[in-house]
Amino acid sequence: MQIYISGSLAFDRIMNFHDKFSNHILPDKLHILNVCFLVDGLAERFGGTGGNIAYNLSMLGETPILLSQVGKDFSSYDDWLHKHGISVAGIRTIDQEFTAGAYITTDQSDNQITGFNPGAMKYPCQYDMTTMDSNEALGLISPGNLTDMMDHPKYYRDNNIPFIFDPGQQIPAFSGEQLAEAFDGAEILITNDYELEMILKATGMSKDDVIDKVAYLITTLGEKGSVINCKGEEVTVEAVPASEVVDPTGAGDAYRSGLLKGLAMGKTVAEAAKLGSVCAVYAVEHKGTQEHSFTMEEFTNRYEAAFGLMD
């Protein structure tokens, strides 16, 4: 089965400020705020929802195709994707833009100031989806370009291709009507519990209404695992205990990778979600979203320690 991932590719540029922001901001002068924070260097990491999911899938033995867009500074990320066997055939380059980037400054109290430049993400990827084999394709739409997030579900629906809709941080960018249309007919709608509440509020729908529009609703709950709803049935999948919780960022994307791998193997959604839990714990145990690694042997051993023998 060929997995297609619609979603962002971005650079995360991380800076540490060895003081507290509050020591340099005068509350009575917020209306004329003009501050400069001297940071201790800059670390650049590869990120974006599409990139994170594809990275984990590559370690699980899959060769996903990314449907995304990048800018003129993409060469180092391009090398990284090739190194991990991830196809760039679906990536559009916008020569006049930079690749999307988050500029994150963290102070000693773990407060953060982030600037996000969407750059090339402002443009749809324009991938020729007619080249997909509808009998062998599985799609996932993760946060990225808004046009892609509306057009790709429609194509999948019209061509009977199963897809997962994962709106994430782009939920506020859509109207309630657009959201309801985008996830209509999805094999899976996946969110965390806060995002699900945002969807219910935006659409005016109840949880049961949402479940009626999709085959499965998956709600991730961090260290409490995930819950799978399917028209009256509910299954809880436990999280895999972390040896050390270092950074939860990227765990949700890793979970989605394991879920996709399981579906590509023909497993039930509940069984696939267990692979998601295992994949997520590796991300939790490392800083960054593409800094962890594992072999399939290590992954299988971790799975069997948590859930028993893998079928």
Side-chain angles (χ1 to χ4, degrees), residues 70-93:
V70 299
K72 53 191 174 183
D73 57 342
F74 188 63
S75 60
S76 60
Y77 205 156
D78 182 65
D79 292 341
W80 177 256
L81 295 177
H82 277 97
K83 177 182 176 181
H84 292 279
I86 299 167
S87 174
V88 299
I91 297 175
R92 178 187 179 192
T93 300

Side-chain angles (χ1 to χ4, degrees), residues 5-7 49-50 53 139-144 149 153 163-171 174 179 182-183 186 188-192 195 199 218 220 252-257 259-260:
I5 303 169
S6 307
T49 55
I53 295 168
L140 179 140
I141 298 96
S142 65
M149 293 182 71
F163 70 95
I164 299 171
F165 191 69
D166 170 26
Q169 62 264 37
Q170 290 288 50
I171 291 173
F174 292 104
L179 278 172
F183 66 70
I188 299 172
L189 170 63
I190 183 168
T191 70
N192 61 34
E195 292 163 353
I199 289 175
I218 296 181
T220 59
D253 293 334
Y255 178 98
R256 286 146 176 79
S257 304
L259 178 69
L260 283 164

Side-chain angles (χ1 to χ4, degrees), residues 106-128:
T106 305
D107 75 359
Q108 286 185 328
S109 297
D110 286 331
N111 297 306
Q112 291 187 330
I113 296 175
T114 300
F116 183 76
N117 171 35
M121 202 175 81
K122 294 180 292 188
Y123 301 81
C125 73
Q126 296 183 339
Y127 182 73
D128 182 5

Side-chain angles (χ1 to χ4, degrees), residues 54-300:
Y55 172 75
N56 286 281
L57 276 169
S58 72
M59 290 189 289
L60 291 168
E62 295 293 330
T63 54
I65 295 177
L66 269 169
L67 310 184
S68 192
Q69 48 288 114
V70 299
K72 53 191 174 183
D73 57 342
F74 188 63
S75 60
S76 60
Y77 205 156
D78 182 65
D79 292 341
W80 177 256
L81 295 177
H82 277 97
K83 177 182 176 181
H84 292 279
I86 299 167
S87 174
V88 299
I91 297 175
R92 178 187 179 192
T93 300
I94 311 297
D95 292 327
Q96 71 272 24
E97 295 280 359
F98 288 100
T99 303
Y103 299 80
I104 306 164
T105 304
T106 305
D107 75 359
Q108 286 185 328
S109 297
D110 286 331
N111 297 306
Q112 291 187 330
I113 296 175
T114 300
F116 183 76
N117 171 35
M121 202 175 81
K122 294 180 292 188
Y123 301 81
C125 73
Q126 296 183 339
Y127 182 73
D128 182 5
M129 300 180 78
T130 63
T131 60
M132 295 179 179
D133 181 347
S134 60
N135 296 315
E136 293 294 329
L138 172 61
L140 179 140
I141 298 96
S142 65
N145 175 267
L146 299 181
T147 299
D148 291 342
M149 293 182 71
M150 290 297 298
D151 289 350
H152 292 185
K154 183 178 186 306
Y155 183 86
Y156 291 138
R157 276 194 302 271
D158 291 347
N159 291 274
N160 297 312
I161 297 173
F163 70 95
I164 299 171
F165 191 69
D166 170 26
Q169 62 264 37
Q170 290 288 50
I171 291 173
F174 292 104
S175 68
E177 292 77 12
Q178 288 174 322
L179 278 172
E181 178 185 347
F183 66 70
D184 186 24
E187 181 69 13
I188 299 172
L189 170 63
I190 183 168
T191 70
N192 61 34
D193 50 345
Y194 182 78
E195 292 163 353
L196 178 58
E197 290 301 321
M198 292 178 68
I199 289 175
L200 299 183
K201 182 178 179 180
T203 61
M205 301 168 71
S206 68
K207 185 175 176 180
D208 287 340
D209 292 335
V210 170
I211 294 170
D212 284 341
K213 291 178 71 70
V214 300
Y216 295 90
L217 170 66
I218 296 181
T219 310
T220 59
L221 305 170
E223 63 183 13
K224 296 180 181 178
S226 56
V227 176
I228 303 167
N229 288 101
C230 177
K231 296 178 175 61
E233 298 182 10
E234 183 171 289
V235 176
T236 298
V237 175
E238 295 180 357
V240 175
S243 58
E244 181 185 10
V245 177
V246 176
D247 182 6
T249 307
D253 293 334
Y255 178 98
R256 286 146 176 79
S257 304
L259 178 69
L260 283 164
K261 174 64 175 180
L263 296 176
M265 294 169 65
K267 292 183 177 293
T268 67
V269 173
E271 291 169 340
K274 293 178 181 179
L275 273 70
S277 290
V278 177
C279 200
V281 77
Y282 284 101
V284 169
E285 293 170 345
H286 295 79
K287 271 196 172 294
T289 58
Q290 296 182 36
E291 306 299 316
H292 57 288
S293 63
F294 53 78
T295 65
M296 280 306 302
E297 181 180 3
E298 291 169 337
F299 185 91
T300 300

